[in-house]
Amino acid sequence: MNTIAFAKGHGTENDFLILPGPFDPTPAQVRALCDRRAGIGADGVLRVDRRDGRWFMDYRNADGSIAEMCGNGVRVFAHWLRSRGLVDTDDFVVGTRAGERRVTVGDYTATEARVTVDMGPAEVTGVSTARLGAMQVAGLGVDLGNPHLACVLPGLDVAGLAGLELADPEFDRDFFPAGVNVEIVTPLRDGGVHMRVHERGVGETRSCGTGTVAAARAALADAGLAEGTVTVHVPGGDVVVQVWDGGSTLTGPSRIVATGEIDLRALSGPGSGSA
């Protein structure tokens, strides 16, 4: 199989390649496809699969590694399924490596949708620290099926957040043996926070769905609240997160911007071989 179909979509500019066919890429092929100069370019790959009678989001990071869950990816994946007629109801379940996620697709077209995802519990796993270049931060460990360190920095404002350098983090590998996504978050104000994120296996991205839930959980805790609704502003747009005891939801946009075909033999660059 040399020529494969793909689509390109994003959720608040966290962008993905959708692979709707049977093609199962190797890690090298994922890296080549996601390469922003020699490939198509994306933060990750959403492979459309069926497992145990359910649609399954087989998600890969841009570096070729397998990831458990991606909140923005689930929105784009659900939008694809509904808009292409692969499901016949607005409410359905998507399988992920972090478990099943119930989704609701509203106001959809072939290119745009607004999707709510049941993200499950935002479980606090403790307190830890990380270093990003010269910056030392502390935050809450939050498990959403994948690991997060959500760091609310006292006194941080929007301008200060924009001026930070998010270098590759150094972190406690005993606390986060599978790696970690690190969120830098402003304190809760008027029901909202601003966030930037460094994702494991990708680097800094314009958004991270599970990261916005972790950020909301940490910001609420920082404000002395156990639950609430938080608008999370990320560089790629805005999402709304609801957190309560034992559960959370994420609501935000999805856009599918292109469909096409690519000949795998045309890929070039590091790790692009067909093996």
Side-chain angles (χ1 to χ4, degrees):
M1 182 182 294
N2 293 315
T3 300
I4 61 167
F6 75 91
K8 179 75 180 285
H10 72 88
T12 49
E13 298 183 8
N14 193 189
D15 60 336
F16 309 95
L17 299 179
I18 306 163
L19 301 183
F23 174 64
D24 188 358
T26 66
Q29 288 169 328
V30 170
R31 291 192 293 271
L33 287 165
C34 292
D35 190 296
R36 296 191 181 277
R37 294 182 181 274
I40 301 169
D43 292 326
V45 166
L46 309 175
R47 180 172 169 265
V48 182
D49 197 8
R50 294 280 291 180
R51 298 187 186 181
D52 300 322
R54 301 272 193 198
W55 289 108
F56 183 86
M57 185 183 74
D58 180 11
Y59 178 57
R60 322 285 178 88
N61 291 316
D63 68 352
S65 62
I66 291 173
E68 302 91 344
M69 173 58 182
C70 177
N72 290 325
V74 171
R75 294 206 314 278
V76 174
F77 189 85
H79 178 196
W80 175 264
L81 294 179
R82 186 69 179 105
S83 64
R84 270 57 186 180
L86 297 173
V87 295
D88 58 6
T89 179
D90 294 339
D91 298 282
F92 54 96
V93 171
V94 170
T96 76
R97 290 186 176 86
E100 294 183 342
R101 295 291 184 263
R102 181 162 291 280
V103 298
T104 301
V105 180
D107 301 324
Y108 72 91
T109 67
T111 56
E112 297 186 26
R114 188 163 183 83
V115 182
T116 296
V117 182
D118 182 349
M119 300 291 287
E123 180 184 355
V124 174
T125 58
V127 177
S128 190
T129 61
R131 178 175 293 278
L132 296 88
M135 180 174 61
Q136 180 83 17
V137 294
L140 283 185
V142 183
D143 184 358
L144 282 146
N146 58 355
H148 295 266
L149 180 64
C151 308
V152 181
L153 303 190
L156 183 66
D157 59 16
V158 177
L161 178 65
L164 295 177
E165 179 182 355
L166 264 61
D168 288 346
E170 301 174 18
F171 56 89
D172 184 343
R173 294 188 178 273
D174 291 329
F175 197 91
F176 297 110
V180 66
N181 303 311
V182 179
E183 291 81 28
I184 307 298
V185 189
T186 62
L188 184 66
R189 183 176 181 181
D190 298 327
V193 299
H194 292 256
M195 181 194 93
R196 288 173 60 191
V197 58
H198 188 288
E199 288 197 63
R200 61 174 181 167
V202 185
E204 184 174 3
T205 59
R206 300 281 291 173
S207 180
C208 171
T210 52
T212 61
V213 180
R217 182 73 175 86
L220 289 166
D222 180 70
L225 301 171
E227 59 183 35
T229 300
V230 180
T231 298
V232 183
H233 308 280
V234 293
D238 301 336
V239 297
V240 177
V241 176
Q242 289 185 295
V243 177
W244 64 92
D245 185 21
S248 62
T249 61
L250 168 65
T251 300
S254 167
R255 293 195 177 187
I256 296 171
V257 300
T259 60
E261 293 184 336
I262 185 168
D263 190 326
L264 297 174
R265 295 169 296 186
L267 294 174
S268 62
S272 64
S274 59

